[in-house]
Amino acid sequence: MNHKTKSSIYWAFIFPALLFSFSSLAQDGENLVKNGSFEKAQNKKIRKVGDIELAENWFSPTGSKADIFAAEAKTPEVQTPSNIYGTEEPKDGYNYAGIIAYSYREKEMRTYITTELSTPLKKGMRYQVQFYASLAELSKYSSNRIGAHFSKKAPGSSQKVPAMILDTDVEHPKQEAFDGLFGWDLVCGEFTAKGGEKFMTIGNFTNDGESINDRVRKPRDVKGTQIIAAYYYIDDVSVRLLGPDEQCNCNYPDEADVKTMTLYQRSPEIAKDMTPAQKLTEYNVYYAAGRYDVKRDGQQTIDRILELLKANPDLNIQIIGHADSQETANGATQDISSKRANYIMDILMEEGIAKNRIDVKDDSDRTPSQYIKDGDEDNLKSAKNRRVSFKAF
């Protein structure tokens, strides 16, 4: 065998190995989702809900079609930032997708979005998977358990089904309900491949009984009819190979951000000998920074106030909105105390309390909470000040 033949055989073996090596290295840090922000789409052909197939490399795995929203869509119903389900600025670029993650008593079919990855996942390799979700303002419900599922073949069928019950391979580590009507919630985690996974699907893959489904009040300044579902916008999807010593860094809120989300709670001290007016002053509704929608604990407080008002028809209520100093100093939230008070007024009126029995006062940050203590840290003081208080008039 001459030298030339030996050389040819050597390169015949080594060249494919090098190609495989370079291909593997190329995946390290590269997004395997080819159109993760839905920017590559036939924007001017998007005319109605259910057009997700007009986004390159995305499709619905069931007969219930998901949605694509684009700034250049032909009709307002499917444009960004405002559309048929609410208003949200894209997390990245100009477009985003939309899915139904839950529907009360399956009145609406859940929808999902699936993409084919640029290369199959390799057995034993670790990947960082993440995307962002935002609850649409015209959702009547919120939900948790929204995540990603990986498969070798495209899941689902052409049939319309209430839900696809599959393994949730990546979801929020705390399985938190995504109830933020403004801004984007991160879903991120590490996935170790079994090998050969080629498709990624996003949605809710759990039974209703295994997930949290809370009712949502429509913001006062939002027009339109709520849908009897939890509808989420989805954007900025990525799957990236992690190096041997690389950690999955999801960038969930750091300590500074957590402080702004601190939510104070206090149980009212109600005595039997209190008058209705005295009982009213014991109640407060508390908020995370920049928020004015009512969470579960706040709704429970309002329910107690409603019972008090309905049992005492001569009792009139003043609703006093408060804010912390950082909120009032920020142009984007300087009127948040007024929004908090008016939001609760709307709830009481929806439940049958006459408007002439209600007075609204905007106190901004002028009156610190009476429950602030000398030893409280600044973030706790702020949390105590972000509230709505009540009194009789």
Side-chain angles (χ1 to χ4, degrees), residues 20 58 94 96 102 115 141 174 200 254 270 283 285 317 357 379:
F20 177 80
W58 289 94
Y94 299 94
Y96 46 70
Y102 163 80
T115 186
Y141 292 88
K174 295 183 180 179
M200 174 189 183
D254 59 22
I270 306 295
Y283 291 106
V285 176
I317 184 171
R357 295 181 62 191
N379 65 304

Side-chain angles (χ1 to χ4, degrees), residues 24-32 239-243 246:
S24 298
L25 289 172
Q27 291 184 33
D28 195 357
E30 174 188 344
N31 188 3
L32 303 184
V239 176
R240 302 180 189 277
L241 176 66
L242 293 169
E246 187 178 2

Side-chain angles (χ1 to χ4, degrees), residues 1 29 62 112 134 179 193 221 317 322:
M1 183 180 290
T62 71
Y112 302 83
S134 176
D179 55 6
D221 54 350
I317 184 171
H322 305 269

Side-chain angles (χ1 to χ4, degrees), residues 1 3 33 37 42 57 65 78 93 112 183 186 204 210 236 260 288 304 307 309-310 312 349:
M1 183 180 290
H3 174 75
V33 179
S37 293
Q42 300 177 52
N57 208 54
K65 301 301 182 182
V78 285
Y112 302 83
L186 173 64
N204 183 351
E210 297 175 1
D236 201 8
T260 68
R304 302 292 83 75
E307 291 174 2
L309 292 171
K310 290 178 179 180
N312 299 275
M349 291 175 61

